[in-house]
Amino acid sequence: MKIQIKSFIFLAALLLVMASCKKDKFIEPTGNLEAIDYTWNVALKGFQPEKTVGGKLTTNINVKTLYYYIQRTGKADSLIQLDFPAGEKEYAFSIKADVWPNIDLVGVKGLKLLAVQDNNTSLEKLVKITYFNPAAPVLKDLPETVTPSLTGTTAITGKASSPTGISKIYFYDNSTGNFATVDSISPSGSKDVTINYNYTYTPGAGQLKVTAVDIYGLKAEKVIQFVNIPFKPVISFEADTLRAALPDGTPAINGTLKSYTALSTVEAWVVTAGGETLQGPVIPVLVSNTANEYNYTFSLTGFPFADNVKECKLVAKDGTNSSNAGSVPVKILPYYRWNNITLMSQGTATVNSPSCFFLGEPATPFLSACEVVNDPSNHAKVDFAIFTNSSGNLAFNNPANISAATLTTFKCSGAAWTPATPTANTLKKTVFRVLGTGVAETSIYNKYNNNTITELGDAFFTGISAPNANAPNQTTYTTASLIWAKMTPAGGGTTKNILIKVQSLNIVASPNQGTSTITVDVMKEK
């Protein structure tokens, strides 16, 4: 009994010593953050006083991972970047510039840094960020109409104000068609400016435009209509730039026309680097008229957008033979777009699929089963294939990862597709990711829905894990989903990004599941 008591006392003492040692090794995480306070300026679309958000974190722990969370009023913290400092106690950090375009910064209040050591000991620090959305300038007391002197000057009076200060006031007229600068004044940052400008009439002008610009580049504009004098037709396009993604993502061309007498003709011209080509007549729609002013709207259809097109130009002539021209620049976007493409799955023993292989070439977005099965030169052109299994799951298939069993289902009149053994060296490798609800992913959904996507490079997808799925089906996507795909040519080469919008599904039950279809919009990086 004595031996047992001694053993118990020894064990208890040992445990106390071990606990004491463990407690001695515990480190209370402390640290210092060296960083300035930042302001997100909506007008500048950037940070102040420095463009890059960064600083230096010094800690008493060995930081293995550094998490960066954006904090916004009324929203949960969102992870925007992850660094691996490799156990450093002093770390200079910065947020990559291509992170910010995909983040809604409305209500931003800070950047939270969470520094984590190997043993999961952590430390939090905060970089303060203030959201600043300056008000645009205001123009007031300028006249709606004016009868300009044809021999002397005409006084144009009014006021301009801005809470941040006016840097410039410009005056334009449209004697040559589009508005062109005729003069300017520099208020040197004054917040309240009295405008008293003597305008010299330019023959043929129908309007004068006054533009106030603040210190951040925000603008206020006022168009003053000339009355009681003959003026050349005035052409106003609804858009300042026509952004087109060939072949299907072309914008509408709309606008207004104003003339002194009724218009007699309106023509559309295609402007390229090599010259101008007449597209054809435009039929204006009369909206209202007085004795000396006719107002029209116009809508131009069938404009031949192409890679070499620089501008769309309209030439308008009124009943007095007075004519004028106006143009709007064309920007061809660096990706292709196809709308409402319907792709059929692999087909059946008696039905050859007309569209199971997506190529993503401008004139040939997809091919039929027979065009690929019977022509080996097309094998390595396929970006992805559409396949539906007996359970009714329709999947986008990575050509380089298609199984032998699936290959045999792609047939042309009974003959199966027999490419070289599918690998990244023999067929294109295309992997997929169904976009979810994260900050960066939500931003892409918003840009797609608002038709404001201007590029599809890797920077556009910053903040999203790279695609890695070989065959996503409708158990992972819905008819509201966007799917990001990354395609690498057979044998390697330049990777291209593809963005797929699922529009609708038509699943056919077994044994005819191969006739199931999916309708999609597709964007593909050039």
Side-chain angles (χ1 to χ4, degrees):
M1 180 63 71
K2 290 181 180 179
I3 294 175
Q4 290 177 346
I5 292 174
K6 287 181 179 180
S7 298
F8 176 77
I9 293 173
F10 176 77
L11 180 59
L14 180 61
L15 290 172
L16 286 172
V17 171
M18 290 175 66
S20 175
C21 290
K22 186 173 182 180
K23 185 174 181 180
D24 288 341
K25 289 182 179 180
F26 175 75
I27 299 175
E28 182 69 31
T30 61
N32 181 55
L33 175 65
E34 297 178 35
I36 61 175
D37 292 346
Y38 290 88
T39 296
W40 171 255
N41 189 318
V42 177
L44 297 178
K45 295 182 174 62
F47 288 97
Q48 292 179 302
E50 295 180 0
K51 293 182 179 180
T52 301
V53 176
K56 185 170 72 173
L57 181 66
T58 304
T59 72
N60 66 337
I61 61 176
N62 298 311
V63 179
K64 177 183 177 182
T65 310
L66 189 56
Y67 299 85
Y68 303 89
Y69 295 88
I70 197 71
Q71 294 187 325
R72 294 166 293 182
T73 301
K75 295 183 179 180
D77 293 355
S78 299
L79 180 67
I80 63 170
Q81 184 172 304
L82 192 62
D83 286 356
F84 301 96
E88 298 178 30
K89 292 186 176 180
E90 185 175 291
Y91 185 66
F93 66 90
S94 63
I95 302 300
K96 299 172 184 175
D98 54 13
V99 166
W100 299 114
N102 287 330
I103 299 174
D104 178 8
L105 290 170
V106 173
V108 64
K109 57 184 181 179
L111 177 73
K112 183 176 77 175
L113 278 64
L114 177 62
V116 179
Q117 187 178 262
D118 289 343
N119 63 1
N120 291 326
T121 300
S122 63
L123 174 72
E124 288 187 15
K125 290 292 181 180
L126 183 69
V127 177
K128 184 179 179 181
I129 301 176
T130 302
Y131 182 80
F132 178 50
N133 188 6
V138 174
L139 286 168
K140 61 182 180 179
D141 298 338
L142 287 165
E144 294 291 330
T145 63
V146 70
T147 301
S149 170
L150 303 183
T151 57
T153 60
T154 302
I156 305 297
T157 61
K159 295 179 181 178
S161 62
S162 165
T164 58
I166 302 290
S167 64
K168 205 87 167 178
I169 297 177
Y170 294 94
F171 301 90
Y172 310 81
D173 70 18
N174 55 3
S175 62
T176 59
N178 292 345
F179 280 110
T181 306
V182 294
D183 210 345
S184 65
I185 57 176
S186 300
S188 303
S190 298
K191 294 183 178 181
D192 294 287
V193 180
T194 298
I195 299 171
N196 192 355
Y197 173 68
N198 292 318
Y199 168 69
T200 300
Y201 179 72
T202 307
Q207 295 171 324
L208 179 73
K209 182 168 74 172
V210 182
T211 301
V213 184
D214 74 4
I215 61 173
Y216 295 124
L218 295 176
K219 299 178 181 180
E221 296 182 342
K222 173 71 174 181
V223 175
I224 302 170
Q225 178 64 41
F226 294 159
V227 295
N228 301 321
I229 62 165
F231 58 87
K232 294 180 181 180
V234 176
I235 301 164
S236 301
F237 288 90
E238 188 175 276
D240 57 3
T241 302
L242 300 175
R243 294 173 175 82
L246 303 176
D248 294 344
T250 55
I253 305 177
N254 302 313
T256 61
L257 297 159
K258 187 185 294 290
S259 60
Y260 184 71
T261 62
L263 290 173
S264 58
T265 62
V266 181
E267 296 175 337
W269 292 74
V270 182
V271 181
T272 67
E276 300 179 359
T277 304
L278 176 64
Q279 186 209 348
V282 177
I283 308 301
V285 177
L286 182 64
V287 176
S288 64
N289 71 283
T290 61
N292 296 316
E293 183 179 303
Y294 289 75
N295 294 289
Y296 302 83
T297 61
F298 70 86
S299 182
L300 177 59
T301 59
F303 186 78
F305 288 98
D307 286 320
N308 66 336
V309 174
K310 303 298 181 185
E311 295 178 354
C312 171
K313 175 180 172 181
L314 257 59
V315 177
K317 183 185 294 186
D318 68 14
T320 66
N321 242 11
S322 175
S323 66
N324 211 352
S327 60
V328 60
V330 171
K331 179 179 177 57
I332 303 300
L333 298 173
Y335 61 85
Y336 299 111
R337 176 166 182 155
W338 298 269
N339 293 336
N340 294 314
I341 293 178
T342 297
L343 303 173
M344 182 188 282
S345 298
Q346 68 274 15
T348 67
T350 58
V351 178
N352 296 327
S353 173
S355 53
C356 54
F357 295 110
F358 182 82
L359 269 65
E361 295 182 358
T364 313
F366 56 82
L367 289 178
S368 68
C370 290
E371 287 172 305
V372 173
V373 170
N374 295 334
D375 188 351
S377 69
N378 286 327
H379 291 183
K381 295 180 181 179
V382 176
D383 285 348
F384 58 81
I386 301 297
F387 170 78
T388 302
N389 64 18
S390 58
S391 299
N393 292 323
L394 187 150
F396 297 85
N397 271 243
N398 172 9
N401 195 65
I402 292 180
S403 68
T406 301
L407 274 180
T408 62
T409 67
F410 290 91
K411 295 180 179 180
C412 175
S413 301
W417 184 28
T418 56
T421 302
T423 68
N425 289 320
T426 59
L427 299 175
K428 287 182 177 179
K429 176 186 176 181
T430 303
V431 286
F432 306 84
R433 176 170 293 280
V434 178
L435 299 187
T437 58
V439 173
E441 293 160 302
T442 298
S443 174
I444 290 178
Y445 275 99
N446 291 339
K447 289 177 181 177
Y448 180 88
N449 292 333
N450 295 327
N451 197 27
T452 56
I453 295 176
T454 58
E455 56 96 16
L456 274 185
D458 288 345
F460 179 71
F461 296 96
T462 297
I464 304 173
S465 298
N468 59 6
N470 287 303
N473 60 44
Q474 75 267 32
T475 63
T476 57
Y477 67 77
T478 70
T479 53
S481 291
L482 285 174
I483 302 173
W484 172 25
K486 241 179 150 45
M487 181 278 294
T488 305
T494 303
T495 297
K496 301 294 184 184
N497 291 309
I498 300 173
L499 189 63
I500 303 165
K501 172 64 168 68
V502 180
Q503 298 286 14
S504 63
L505 283 167
N506 179 31
I507 303 299
V508 180
S510 179
N512 296 312
Q513 70 272 12
T515 61
S516 300
T517 60
I518 183 170
T519 300
V520 293
D521 293 348
V522 183
M523 298 177 177
K524 181 181 178 181
E525 185 181 12
K526 289 185 178 178

